[in-house]
């Protein structure tokens, strides 16, 4: 487990890339800052000793000004190191955040549907936002404070023995007690911190579902219910944070107590040693210290505070680092996920035609699935044919067509497009040759024209208009004030379901694909418009293979062949007349729809 975690840490921090120079320079400034901070108290102790020894007198301030100049110079040097260290650390962490977002987003784009199914969308959003923020915060601490605090601790401990002598043993005894206390705090706080990430996923899921389904929420008057669900998710996060932060809050009083105890111990021990081991020289007003001098005691107190502050920083960093490790682990999970669908070594770069052949195909969505989503599929579709697919919900219609553009890979058997196994094609080449209008139609923010040009970014205005005419989208576009420059709101909320479907069909037509798949994509248009669209597809792109998944028999009645699906298997294949006579499922659907007058 630890080995796997280190692997993920290495994978995440590889994204620093061009900002690596800032990450390397920052610790050097931290060394300078820590060194300067620990040198200043040492100079102060030397100054006190020189004053006591009479080296610095009211008649000669030259050495005093030397000490002042050195300490002032070290203070300025320390400040400058801190400033530049902070600037470079910020650049390195901000650069890591930018690259991580890029790498995560690029990785998501390379995922197959099977990969995306593995991660919930709400969880991916959390990883792209909160987790990246935590990871970059940890990285900034790693190159700045994680370097500075241990150095400050080591330098202060060494200088405490040099300048404070035996008094420094107070910290040797006290430091382990402080460290153990902070370890116990971290041990109790971290499990609660880990819970927070799952809470964040749940909160994001609630928000995402509510926003995407806001019309349903309002139509069913479920605003109060959704508000309660959100409040519960938000309250759970708050409770976990309060619990964890309450435990971590003990850090400060423990730190203050340790500082007070160390100061009291130092003063008591030092005072006793001074009184027991000092000698007053008569007629000279001079005291000789045989063991501990006031300068040593002053240096020890100063270094003691630095030591304990460094310990506090180290323990707090440890808590935050372990907290951030969960974020790093979650980001690493996505980065190390390997796309289940990859390009072959020597891919085929051209799709000959739109013929499709399923040969003994079995398919399941995951290795652990109890049963196949598709079983023993054998279908032959000639290039240019109009093919209909009919079946009840869950019969495997969408699963079947998703295999053609290799959104998923077959588990067993072969799937050929243009006479070549889809696994042998370059992915871009294959998907450029297959246009899919999915059940859930998606439009993006922008204009109608910009959405249509997803099908062909170089399409002319005339080509846009022609595609829209085939899809029967021109009739409503021409009524809009800005026509093709009309703005589409996020998710296409300012157009109806039928208008959205027609725009998506026009977008697919603009690809001039070898295969056009309409997955129940005319369900929101009336039967007359549906018939006009089918007629336009036949007349204007006759060479394109057209595969239509439909619930209405009227949408596929004139197909060259109709495939009837049932429980993931092909129940029958034939034309309308044949299936009416020979297939019970098809006949029942036809009779139920004709009795109701169609849809």
């Amino acid at each position: 487990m630890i080995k796997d975690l280190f692997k993920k840490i290495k994978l995440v921090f590889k994204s620093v890339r061009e900002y690596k120079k800032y990450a390397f320079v920052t610790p050097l400034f931290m060394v300078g800052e820590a060194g300067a901070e620990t040198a200043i108290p040492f100079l102060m102790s030397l100054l006190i000793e020189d004053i006591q020894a009479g080296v610095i007198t009211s008649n000669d301030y030259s050495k005093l000004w030397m000490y002042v100049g050195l300490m002032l110079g070290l203070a300025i040097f320390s400040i400058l190191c801190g400033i530049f260290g902070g600037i470079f650390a910020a650049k390195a962490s901000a650069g890591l955040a930018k690259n991580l977002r890029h790498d995560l987003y690029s990785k998501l784009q390379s995922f197959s549907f099977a990969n995306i199914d593995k991660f919930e969308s709400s969880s991916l959003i959390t990883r792209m936002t909160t987790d990246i923020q935590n990871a970059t915060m940890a990285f900034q601490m790693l190159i700045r404070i994680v370097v500075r605090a241990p150095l400050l601790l080591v330098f202060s401990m060494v200088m405490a023995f040099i300048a404070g002598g035996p008094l420094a043993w107070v910290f040797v005894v006290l430091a382990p007690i402080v460290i153990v206390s902070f370890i116990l705090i971290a041990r109790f706080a971290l499990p609660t911190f880990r819970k927070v990430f799952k809470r964040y996923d749940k909160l994001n899921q609630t928000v995402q579902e509510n926003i995407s389904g806001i019309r349903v929420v309002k139509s069913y008057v479920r605003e109060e219910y959704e508000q309660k669900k959100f409040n519960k998710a938000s309250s759970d996060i708050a409770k976990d944070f309060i619990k964890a932060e309450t435990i971590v809050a003990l850090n400060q009083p423990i730190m203050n107590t340790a500082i007070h105890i160390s100061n009291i111990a130092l003063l008591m021990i030092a005072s006793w040693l001074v009184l027991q081991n000092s000698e007053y020289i008569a007629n000279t007003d001079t005291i000789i210290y045989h063991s501990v001098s006031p300068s040593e005691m002053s240096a020890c107190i100063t270094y003691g505070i630095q030591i304990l502050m460094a310990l506090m920083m180290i323990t707090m960093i440890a808590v935050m680092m372990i907290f951030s490790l969960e974020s790093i682990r979650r980001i690493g999970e996505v980065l190390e996920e390997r796309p289940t669908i990859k390009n072959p070594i020597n891919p085929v770069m051209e799709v000959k035609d739109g013929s499709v052949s399923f040969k003994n195909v079995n398919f399941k969505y995951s290795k652990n699935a109890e049963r196949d989503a598709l079983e023993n599929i054998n279908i032959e579709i000639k290039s240019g044919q109009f093919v209909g697919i009919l079946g009840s919900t869950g019969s495997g219609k969408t699963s079947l067509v998703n295999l053609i553009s290799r959104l998923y890979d077959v588990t067993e058997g072969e799937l050929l497009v243009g006479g070549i196994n889809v696994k042998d094609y370059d992915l871009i080449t294959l998907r450029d040759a297959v246009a899919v209008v999915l059940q859930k139609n998606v439009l993006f923010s922008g204009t109608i024209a910009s959405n249509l040009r997803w099908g062909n970014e170089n399409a002319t205005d005339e080509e846009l208009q022609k595609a829209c005419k085939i899809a029967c989208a021109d009739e409503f576009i021409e009524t809009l004030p800005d026509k093709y420059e009309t703005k589409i709101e996020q998710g296409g909320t300012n157009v109806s379901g039928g208008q959205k479907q027609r725009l998506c069909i026009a977008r697919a037509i603009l690809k001039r694909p070898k295969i056009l798949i309409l997955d129940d994509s005319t369900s929101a248009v009336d039967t007359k418009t549906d018939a006009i669209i089918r007629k336009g597809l036949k007349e204007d792109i006759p060479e394109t293979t057209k595969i239509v998944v439909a619930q209405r028999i009227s949408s596929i009645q004139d197909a060259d062949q109709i495939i009837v699906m049932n429980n993931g298997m092909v129940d029958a294949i034939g034309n309308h007349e044949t299936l009416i006579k020979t297939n019970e499922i098809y006949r029942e659907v036809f009779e139920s729809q004709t009795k109701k007058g169609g849809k």
Side-chain angles (χ1 to χ4, degrees), residues 216-238:
V216 177
V217 172
K218 290 189 174 296
S219 64
Y220 281 88
V221 197
R222 298 285 282 179
E223 292 93 340
E224 186 176 347
Y225 170 80
E226 289 295 326
Q227 183 66 48
K228 288 179 179 178
K229 190 166 73 170
F230 177 84
N231 288 341
K232 184 180 184 307
S234 182
S235 297
D236 288 341
I237 292 176

PDB file of all heavy atoms in Angstrom, residues 216-238:
ATOM      1  N   VAL A 216     -37.071  19.239 -13.837  1.00  0.00           N
ATOM      2  CA  VAL A 216     -37.819  18.141 -13.214  1.00  0.00           C
ATOM      3  C   VAL A 216     -38.100  18.469 -11.748  1.00  0.00           C
ATOM      4  O   VAL A 216     -39.199  18.237 -11.237  1.00  0.00           O
ATOM      5  CB  VAL A 216     -37.027  16.817 -13.318  1.00  0.00           C
ATOM      6  CG1 VAL A 216     -37.771  15.682 -12.616  1.00  0.00           C
ATOM      7  CG2 VAL A 216     -36.772  16.467 -14.768  1.00  0.00           C
ATOM      8  N   VAL A 217     -37.086  19.016 -11.066  1.00  0.00           N
ATOM      9  CA  VAL A 217     -37.244  19.386  -9.657  1.00  0.00           C
ATOM     10  C   VAL A 217     -38.405  20.355  -9.489  1.00  0.00           C
ATOM     11  O   VAL A 217     -39.265  20.194  -8.610  1.00  0.00           O
ATOM     12  CB  VAL A 217     -35.941  20.017  -9.110  1.00  0.00           C
ATOM     13  CG1 VAL A 217     -36.172  20.576  -7.703  1.00  0.00           C
ATOM     14  CG2 VAL A 217     -34.828  18.987  -9.083  1.00  0.00           C
ATOM     15  N   LYS A 218     -38.463  21.356 -10.345  1.00  0.00           N
ATOM     16  CA  LYS A 218     -39.515  22.369 -10.236  1.00  0.00           C
ATOM     17  C   LYS A 218     -40.877  21.839 -10.669  1.00  0.00           C
ATOM     18  O   LYS A 218     -41.901  22.159 -10.063  1.00  0.00           O
ATOM     19  CB  LYS A 218     -39.139  23.606 -11.061  1.00  0.00           C
ATOM     20  CG  LYS A 218     -37.984  24.398 -10.463  1.00  0.00           C
ATOM     21  CD  LYS A 218     -37.776  25.710 -11.168  1.00  0.00           C
ATOM     22  CE  LYS A 218     -36.701  26.535 -10.453  1.00  0.00           C
ATOM     23  NZ  LYS A 218     -37.132  26.910  -9.090  1.00  0.00           N
ATOM     24  N   SER A 219     -40.889  20.998 -11.694  1.00  0.00           N
ATOM     25  CA  SER A 219     -42.169  20.474 -12.163  1.00  0.00           C
ATOM     26  C   SER A 219     -42.807  19.545 -11.136  1.00  0.00           C
ATOM     27  O   SER A 219     -44.030  19.433 -11.059  1.00  0.00           O
ATOM     28  CB  SER A 219     -41.990  19.744 -13.501  1.00  0.00           C
ATOM     29  OG  SER A 219     -41.171  18.604 -13.335  1.00  0.00           O
ATOM     30  N   TYR A 220     -41.969  18.873 -10.326  1.00  0.00           N
ATOM     31  CA  TYR A 220     -42.493  18.002  -9.275  1.00  0.00           C
ATOM     32  C   TYR A 220     -42.513  18.689  -7.907  1.00  0.00           C
ATOM     33  O   TYR A 220     -42.769  18.052  -6.898  1.00  0.00           O
ATOM     34  CB  TYR A 220     -41.669  16.711  -9.196  1.00  0.00           C
ATOM     35  CG  TYR A 220     -42.020  15.708 -10.270  1.00  0.00           C
ATOM     36  CD1 TYR A 220     -41.396  15.751 -11.511  1.00  0.00           C
ATOM     37  CD2 TYR A 220     -42.997  14.744 -10.048  1.00  0.00           C
ATOM     38  CE1 TYR A 220     -41.718  14.839 -12.505  1.00  0.00           C
ATOM     39  CE2 TYR A 220     -43.315  13.820 -11.029  1.00  0.00           C
ATOM     40  CZ  TYR A 220     -42.680  13.878 -12.263  1.00  0.00           C
ATOM     41  OH  TYR A 220     -43.007  12.975 -13.237  1.00  0.00           O
ATOM     42  N   VAL A 221     -42.187  19.980  -7.890  1.00  0.00           N
ATOM     43  CA  VAL A 221     -42.188  20.787  -6.658  1.00  0.00           C
ATOM     44  C   VAL A 221     -41.352  20.102  -5.576  1.00  0.00           C
ATOM     45  O   VAL A 221     -41.808  19.855  -4.460  1.00  0.00           O
ATOM     46  CB  VAL A 221     -43.624  21.056  -6.145  1.00  0.00           C
ATOM     47  CG1 VAL A 221     -43.625  22.215  -5.150  1.00  0.00           C
ATOM     48  CG2 VAL A 221     -44.566  21.358  -7.290  1.00  0.00           C
ATOM     49  N   ARG A 222     -40.108  19.774  -5.923  1.00  0.00           N
ATOM     50  CA  ARG A 222     -39.232  19.060  -4.994  1.00  0.00           C
ATOM     51  C   ARG A 222     -38.089  19.943  -4.494  1.00  0.00           C
ATOM     52  O   ARG A 222     -37.077  19.442  -4.022  1.00  0.00           O
ATOM     53  CB  ARG A 222     -38.653  17.819  -5.690  1.00  0.00           C
ATOM     54  CG  ARG A 222     -39.696  16.798  -6.119  1.00  0.00           C
ATOM     55  CD  ARG A 222     -40.221  16.015  -4.951  1.00  0.00           C
ATOM     56  NE  ARG A 222     -39.280  14.974  -4.523  1.00  0.00           N
ATOM     57  CZ  ARG A 222     -39.484  14.163  -3.500  1.00  0.00           C
ATOM     58  NH1 ARG A 222     -40.577  14.283  -2.769  1.00  0.00           N
ATOM     59  NH2 ARG A 222     -38.591  13.246  -3.185  1.00  0.00           N
ATOM     60  N   GLU A 223     -38.281  21.259  -4.592  1.00  0.00           N
ATOM     61  CA  GLU A 223     -37.221  22.172  -4.162  1.00  0.00           C
ATOM     62  C   GLU A 223     -36.869  21.978  -2.683  1.00  0.00           C
ATOM     63  O   GLU A 223     -35.689  21.948  -2.307  1.00  0.00           O
ATOM     64  CB  GLU A 223     -37.622  23.635  -4.389  1.00  0.00           C
ATOM     65  CG  GLU A 223     -37.739  24.036  -5.845  1.00  0.00           C
ATOM     66  CD  GLU A 223     -39.160  23.887  -6.370  1.00  0.00           C
ATOM     67  OE1 GLU A 223     -39.937  23.132  -5.754  1.00  0.00           O
ATOM     68  OE2 GLU A 223     -39.483  24.542  -7.366  1.00  0.00           O
ATOM     69  N   GLU A 224     -37.887  21.840  -1.856  1.00  0.00           N
ATOM     70  CA  GLU A 224     -37.649  21.689  -0.420  1.00  0.00           C
ATOM     71  C   GLU A 224     -36.899  20.391  -0.121  1.00  0.00           C
ATOM     72  O   GLU A 224     -35.980  20.363   0.700  1.00  0.00           O
ATOM     73  CB  GLU A 224     -38.984  21.710   0.330  1.00  0.00           C
ATOM     74  CG  GLU A 224     -38.812  21.703   1.850  1.00  0.00           C
ATOM     75  CD  GLU A 224     -40.147  21.818   2.578  1.00  0.00           C
ATOM     76  OE1 GLU A 224     -41.167  22.145   1.927  1.00  0.00           O
ATOM     77  OE2 GLU A 224     -40.151  21.576   3.803  1.00  0.00           O
ATOM     78  N   TYR A 225     -37.283  19.319  -0.817  1.00  0.00           N
ATOM     79  CA  TYR A 225     -36.611  18.027  -0.629  1.00  0.00           C
ATOM     80  C   TYR A 225     -35.141  18.122  -1.038  1.00  0.00           C
ATOM     81  O   TYR A 225     -34.252  17.645  -0.322  1.00  0.00           O
ATOM     82  CB  TYR A 225     -37.317  16.959  -1.453  1.00  0.00           C
ATOM     83  CG  TYR A 225     -36.569  15.643  -1.521  1.00  0.00           C
ATOM     84  CD1 TYR A 225     -36.619  14.736  -0.472  1.00  0.00           C
ATOM     85  CD2 TYR A 225     -35.793  15.331  -2.642  1.00  0.00           C
ATOM     86  CE1 TYR A 225     -35.918  13.537  -0.529  1.00  0.00           C
ATOM     87  CE2 TYR A 225     -35.098  14.133  -2.714  1.00  0.00           C
ATOM     88  CZ  TYR A 225     -35.160  13.241  -1.649  1.00  0.00           C
ATOM     89  OH  TYR A 225     -34.457  12.066  -1.718  1.00  0.00           O
ATOM     90  N   GLU A 226     -34.882  18.744  -2.192  1.00  0.00           N
ATOM     91  CA  GLU A 226     -33.511  18.888  -2.680  1.00  0.00           C
ATOM     92  C   GLU A 226     -32.692  19.776  -1.755  1.00  0.00           C
ATOM     93  O   GLU A 226     -31.499  19.556  -1.544  1.00  0.00           O
ATOM     94  CB  GLU A 226     -33.503  19.453  -4.109  1.00  0.00           C
ATOM     95  CG  GLU A 226     -33.986  18.484  -5.163  1.00  0.00           C
ATOM     96  CD  GLU A 226     -33.076  17.287  -5.317  1.00  0.00           C
ATOM     97  OE1 GLU A 226     -31.845  17.430  -5.166  1.00  0.00           O
ATOM     98  OE2 GLU A 226     -33.586  16.183  -5.581  1.00  0.00           O
ATOM     99  N   GLN A 227     -33.352  20.803  -1.190  1.00  0.00           N
ATOM    100  CA  GLN A 227     -32.659  21.690  -0.250  1.00  0.00           C
ATOM    101  C   GLN A 227     -32.246  20.926   1.002  1.00  0.00           C
ATOM    102  O   GLN A 227     -31.131  21.079   1.506  1.00  0.00           O
ATOM    103  CB  GLN A 227     -33.579  22.857   0.124  1.00  0.00           C
ATOM    104  CG  GLN A 227     -32.938  23.896   1.039  1.00  0.00           C
ATOM    105  CD  GLN A 227     -31.808  24.644   0.368  1.00  0.00           C
ATOM    106  OE1 GLN A 227     -31.965  25.116  -0.746  1.00  0.00           O
ATOM    107  NE2 GLN A 227     -30.674  24.747   1.030  1.00  0.00           N
ATOM    108  N   LYS A 228     -33.154  20.066   1.475  1.00  0.00           N
ATOM    109  CA  LYS A 228     -32.833  19.262   2.656  1.00  0.00           C
ATOM    110  C   LYS A 228     -31.685  18.302   2.365  1.00  0.00           C
ATOM    111  O   LYS A 228     -30.801  18.086   3.201  1.00  0.00           O
ATOM    112  CB  LYS A 228     -34.063  18.484   3.112  1.00  0.00           C
ATOM    113  CG  LYS A 228     -35.141  19.347   3.761  1.00  0.00           C
ATOM    114  CD  LYS A 228     -36.339  18.505   4.165  1.00  0.00           C
ATOM    115  CE  LYS A 228     -37.412  19.368   4.826  1.00  0.00           C
ATOM    116  NZ  LYS A 228     -38.622  18.562   5.175  1.00  0.00           N
ATOM    117  N   LYS A 229     -31.710  17.707   1.163  1.00  0.00           N
ATOM    118  CA  LYS A 229     -30.647  16.769   0.782  1.00  0.00           C
ATOM    119  C   LYS A 229     -29.299  17.481   0.711  1.00  0.00           C
ATOM    120  O   LYS A 229     -28.277  16.953   1.172  1.00  0.00           O
ATOM    121  CB  LYS A 229     -30.986  16.130  -0.565  1.00  0.00           C
ATOM    122  CG  LYS A 229     -30.076  14.975  -0.945  1.00  0.00           C
ATOM    123  CD  LYS A 229     -30.657  14.169  -2.087  1.00  0.00           C
ATOM    124  CE  LYS A 229     -30.573  14.896  -3.393  1.00  0.00           C
ATOM    125  NZ  LYS A 229     -30.907  14.042  -4.557  1.00  0.00           N
ATOM    126  N   PHE A 230     -29.308  18.690   0.145  1.00  0.00           N
ATOM    127  CA  PHE A 230     -28.068  19.474   0.071  1.00  0.00           C
ATOM    128  C   PHE A 230     -27.587  19.867   1.465  1.00  0.00           C
ATOM    129  O   PHE A 230     -26.400  19.772   1.781  1.00  0.00           O
ATOM    130  CB  PHE A 230     -28.285  20.724  -0.775  1.00  0.00           C
ATOM    131  CG  PHE A 230     -27.090  21.635  -0.840  1.00  0.00           C
ATOM    132  CD1 PHE A 230     -26.071  21.406  -1.746  1.00  0.00           C
ATOM    133  CD2 PHE A 230     -26.954  22.704   0.038  1.00  0.00           C
ATOM    134  CE1 PHE A 230     -24.965  22.225  -1.801  1.00  0.00           C
ATOM    135  CE2 PHE A 230     -25.856  23.536  -0.001  1.00  0.00           C
ATOM    136  CZ  PHE A 230     -24.850  23.294  -0.936  1.00  0.00           C
ATOM    137  N   ASN A 231     -28.521  20.325   2.303  1.00  0.00           N
ATOM    138  CA  ASN A 231     -28.157  20.752   3.663  1.00  0.00           C
ATOM    139  C   ASN A 231     -27.558  19.594   4.456  1.00  0.00           C
ATOM    140  O   ASN A 231     -26.627  19.782   5.248  1.00  0.00           O
ATOM    141  CB  ASN A 231     -29.378  21.306   4.396  1.00  0.00           C
ATOM    142  CG  ASN A 231     -29.809  22.654   3.865  1.00  0.00           C
ATOM    143  OD1 ASN A 231     -29.027  23.345   3.204  1.00  0.00           O
ATOM    144  ND2 ASN A 231     -31.040  23.041   4.129  1.00  0.00           N
ATOM    145  N   LYS A 232     -28.102  18.395   4.246  1.00  0.00           N
ATOM    146  CA  LYS A 232     -27.563  17.225   4.954  1.00  0.00           C
ATOM    147  C   LYS A 232     -26.137  16.934   4.511  1.00  0.00           C
ATOM    148  O   LYS A 232     -25.251  16.691   5.346  1.00  0.00           O
ATOM    149  CB  LYS A 232     -28.444  15.998   4.713  1.00  0.00           C
ATOM    150  CG  LYS A 232     -27.993  14.776   5.511  1.00  0.00           C
ATOM    151  CD  LYS A 232     -28.886  13.580   5.240  1.00  0.00           C
ATOM    152  CE  LYS A 232     -28.481  12.386   6.124  1.00  0.00           C
ATOM    153  NZ  LYS A 232     -27.056  12.048   6.012  1.00  0.00           N
ATOM    154  N   ALA A 233     -25.908  16.964   3.184  1.00  0.00           N
ATOM    155  CA  ALA A 233     -24.557  16.722   2.665  1.00  0.00           C
ATOM    156  C   ALA A 233     -23.588  17.787   3.164  1.00  0.00           C
ATOM    157  O   ALA A 233     -22.451  17.487   3.554  1.00  0.00           O
ATOM    158  CB  ALA A 233     -24.577  16.706   1.139  1.00  0.00           C
ATOM    159  N   SER A 234     -24.035  19.040   3.161  1.00  0.00           N
ATOM    160  CA  SER A 234     -23.186  20.141   3.631  1.00  0.00           C
ATOM    161  C   SER A 234     -22.926  20.027   5.133  1.00  0.00           C
ATOM    162  O   SER A 234     -21.811  20.267   5.607  1.00  0.00           O
ATOM    163  CB  SER A 234     -23.853  21.479   3.305  1.00  0.00           C
ATOM    164  OG  SER A 234     -23.038  22.557   3.697  1.00  0.00           O
ATOM    165  N   SER A 235     -23.966  19.648   5.883  1.00  0.00           N
ATOM    166  CA  SER A 235     -23.814  19.504   7.344  1.00  0.00           C
ATOM    167  C   SER A 235     -22.865  18.370   7.699  1.00  0.00           C
ATOM    168  O   SER A 235     -22.094  18.474   8.657  1.00  0.00           O
ATOM    169  CB  SER A 235     -25.184  19.255   7.988  1.00  0.00           C
ATOM    170  OG  SER A 235     -26.040  20.352   7.799  1.00  0.00           O
ATOM    171  N   ASP A 236     -22.924  17.289   6.930  1.00  0.00           N
ATOM    172  CA  ASP A 236     -22.015  16.159   7.180  1.00  0.00           C
ATOM    173  C   ASP A 236     -20.565  16.586   7.024  1.00  0.00           C
ATOM    174  O   ASP A 236     -19.692  16.193   7.810  1.00  0.00           O
ATOM    175  CB  ASP A 236     -22.330  15.010   6.221  1.00  0.00           C
ATOM    176  CG  ASP A 236     -23.637  14.302   6.574  1.00  0.00           C
ATOM    177  OD1 ASP A 236     -24.081  14.454   7.729  1.00  0.00           O
ATOM    178  OD2 ASP A 236     -24.198  13.624   5.690  1.00  0.00           O
ATOM    179  N   ILE A 237     -20.291  17.388   5.979  1.00  0.00           N
ATOM    180  CA  ILE A 237     -18.931  17.896   5.779  1.00  0.00           C
ATOM    181  C   ILE A 237     -18.526  18.773   6.951  1.00  0.00           C
ATOM    182  O   ILE A 237     -17.417  18.665   7.489  1.00  0.00           O
ATOM    183  CB  ILE A 237     -18.830  18.686   4.461  1.00  0.00           C
ATOM    184  CG1 ILE A 237     -18.992  17.748   3.266  1.00  0.00           C
ATOM    185  CG2 ILE A 237     -17.487  19.417   4.369  1.00  0.00           C
ATOM    186  CD1 ILE A 237     -19.007  18.449   1.931  1.00  0.00           C
ATOM    187  N   ALA A 238     -19.436  19.672   7.359  1.00  0.00           N
ATOM    188  CA  ALA A 238     -19.141  20.592   8.473  1.00  0.00           C
ATOM    189  C   ALA A 238     -18.856  19.815   9.761  1.00  0.00           C
ATOM    190  O   ALA A 238     -17.908  20.133  10.492  1.00  0.00           O
ATOM    191  CB  ALA A 238     -20.319  21.545   8.677  1.00  0.00           C
TER     192      ALA A 238
END
